[in-house]
Structures are given as structure tokens and as C-alpha cells.
Amino acid sequence: PVGYLVWSQFPVKVYVEPPKAISEKQAQAWVNGVLKGVQEWSNYLPLTIVEQPEIADITIARKAPPLQISSGSNIPRARSAQTTYELYTSNKVLSHRFTILLSPSQTGEYLIAATRHEFGHALGIWGHSPLQTDALYFSQVRQPPAISSRDVNTLKRVYEQPTSLGWSL
């Protein structure tokens, strides 16, 4: 009902929640992997990392996403990541914020790939690609791809669409 979930105010503010219950070395490796996946998108849209969660547009946390129940099956399926959003108003302007959950089981190149993929959703690409060579491919692959020209062209196309976000009500 609000149009496309795109950003109209830049830079988009990103908060990476420092992980708890793991060693400081593991936590830093996790944050570094997440930041690598996020910063790849900064070539296409202005982003800034913030230290205060309350001002963030996108928050990324090391937390297991809830199980997914597929239609036609009662068997729950684990997910490696999830992106959700909420709408809110501030000063009579319609806005949105995102939360990205990345499973604690994700590490190394797969953590970066999951971040890259979910962050593409948070920037406005809600669909999935049918090609394994795209970051927005619907499933994790053995050799995670970088952001492809198809991903970038999809992002450009999405930002040409109408939205009510960022505008006065």
C-alpha cells in the first residue's frame, strides 16, 4: 500500500549489533564479515555505519531466524537469515526500518554472502534471482557470488518505482 520499500533519505544508517556469548575474537570476525557484505553495497547507495541502534535504518544481529513453515507442509525449515521491516511515522513522514537476522551458524564466506543477500532485500530488492551467479539467488550456493550487474540493474529498476516512504503524509 505504500509503494516500493526504497530509501529516499541518504546515507542509509546501518547498525551492526555486537554479538554476545562468544569470544571477543569471534565477535570481531563476525562484525568484520558483516561489514564486508554491507560495504559492497555502498558502491551503489550511500551507507553509513552508526554506533547507536535507535537511529539506525537497518539493524543487523547475530540471531537465529525463526523456523519457516512451508505452504503445503507442516515440517519446519531452518533459515540461515531473514530480513523484516516495519513502517512508522515521524514528524508526519512515513518511514521504514529493517532488521536482518543472521544465523550464528553462518561464518566466513557464507556469512558475507548471507549479509550481501539480505542487505539487497533491505535496500529494496524483494524478489529473488533464478541465477546462481546473482547475490539475490534464492538459495545459498557452494561458491557465493559477488553482487552481479543483474543485481545492480534490479536495484536501479526498483528505485525508479513509486513510493510513499520518506514523504509527508
Side-chain angles (χ1 to χ4, degrees):
V2 301
Y4 280 72
L5 297 174
V6 296
W7 300 99
S8 56
Q9 303 206 356
F10 297 96
V12 176
K13 297 182 284 304
V14 181
Y15 175 71
V16 179
E17 184 178 286
K20 297 168 184 62
I22 58 174
S23 74
E24 193 172 320
K25 183 178 177 184
Q26 289 172 314
Q28 193 57 57
W30 186 86
V31 168
N32 290 345
V34 169
L35 290 174
K36 184 172 182 346
V38 168
Q39 287 168 338
E40 292 175 10
W41 284 106
S42 69
N43 293 322
Y44 310 105
L45 287 175
L47 308 172
T48 189
I49 305 300
V50 298
E51 300 296 322
Q52 305 85 5
E54 60 278 355
I55 66 167
D57 299 312
I58 302 171
T59 297
I60 304 173
R62 183 180 183 269
K63 182 178 176 190
L67 295 175
Q68 181 179 27
I69 304 293
S70 302
S71 59
S73 169
N74 287 336
I75 301 169
R77 194 181 93 142
R79 292 189 274 196
S80 59
Q82 178 187 38
T83 300
T84 57
Y85 71 93
E86 66 175 333
L87 301 174
Y88 67 98
T89 56
S90 177
N91 298 325
K92 297 186 181 180
V93 172
L94 183 61
S95 299
H96 62 315
R97 66 174 64 96
F98 279 81
T99 300
I100 297 173
L101 301 180
L102 298 171
S103 173
S105 66
Q106 295 286 354
T107 60
E109 201 58 38
Y110 295 108
L111 170 64
I112 296 167
T115 303
R116 182 186 300 130
H117 177 97
E118 297 303 322
F119 208 79
H121 289 319
L123 291 178
I125 303 173
W126 274 96
H128 285 116
S129 170
L131 301 181
Q132 289 187 22
T133 53
D134 296 335
L136 272 289
Y137 183 62
F138 70 88
S139 182
Q140 206 167 57
V141 295
R142 186 178 298 268
Q143 296 294 317
I147 297 167
S148 70
S149 58
R150 281 174 42 93
D151 293 319
V152 173
N153 287 334
T154 300
L155 186 67
K156 288 178 185 176
R157 188 70 174 263
V158 167
Y159 275 78
E160 293 171 350
Q161 306 307 312
T163 187
S164 299
L165 295 168
W167 300 96
S168 294
L169 294 173

